[in-house]
Amino acid sequence: IWWTIERKPRYFIMQVGVPCMLFLAVSYIQFFVDANAVPARATLAVIPVLIMRTMSNGIYKTIPTGSQSMWLDDVVTTSMFLCVLAAIQFCLVQYLRTAEKKL
């Protein structure tokens, strides 16, 4: 007799994967906001990073620890990395705009 055990990842996809992608999209919306709207762009750059960090903390409390790679960890880590890159891009644009005004 062979037993097949399958996990159905729907819960984690709906509770983690979809929100990660949505907040990642929110962080990239800042590229379409006027560069003069600094508070709006700063909000769109920082808030998704904080939300991703909070989500990853919640995930790491609920999933078991292990040495192997898990797709959920990869999704959250990649999303957070891309959000941080968007925030760095915001900082770079603001720095270059400030330097340009001084010239």
Side-chain angles (χ1 to χ4, degrees):
I1 296 178
W2 290 95
W3 291 59
T4 303
I5 299 175
E6 284 185 24
R7 289 187 186 189
K8 297 189 179 191
R10 180 172 169 78
Y11 172 78
F12 284 112
I13 289 172
M14 297 307 290
Q15 297 297 320
V16 178
V18 172
C20 276
M21 296 305 140
L22 291 175
F23 286 115
L24 184 60
V26 166
S27 73
Y28 276 84
I29 287 174
Q30 69 165 313
F31 298 135
F32 300 103
V33 176
D34 183 24
N36 293 324
V38 177
R41 291 192 68 195
T43 301
L44 289 172
V46 173
I47 298 292
V49 173
L50 297 174
I51 290 171
M52 290 288 189
R53 186 62 197 156
T54 303
M55 282 177 46
S56 67
N57 285 344
I59 292 165
Y60 295 135
K61 287 181 182 176
T62 60
I63 61 175
T65 58
S67 60
Q68 68 273 17
S69 177
M70 290 181 267
W71 68 270
L72 188 62
D73 182 37
D74 295 340
V75 167
V76 172
T77 303
T78 303
S79 297
M80 186 158 167
F81 178 73
L82 292 173
C83 282
V84 169
L85 282 179
I88 290 170
Q89 186 270 350
F90 164 73
C91 296
L92 182 64
V93 166
Q94 287 309 118
Y95 174 76
L96 292 175
R97 286 179 50 84
T98 304
E100 183 180 55
K101 287 180 183 178
K102 289 182 181 179
L103 293 176

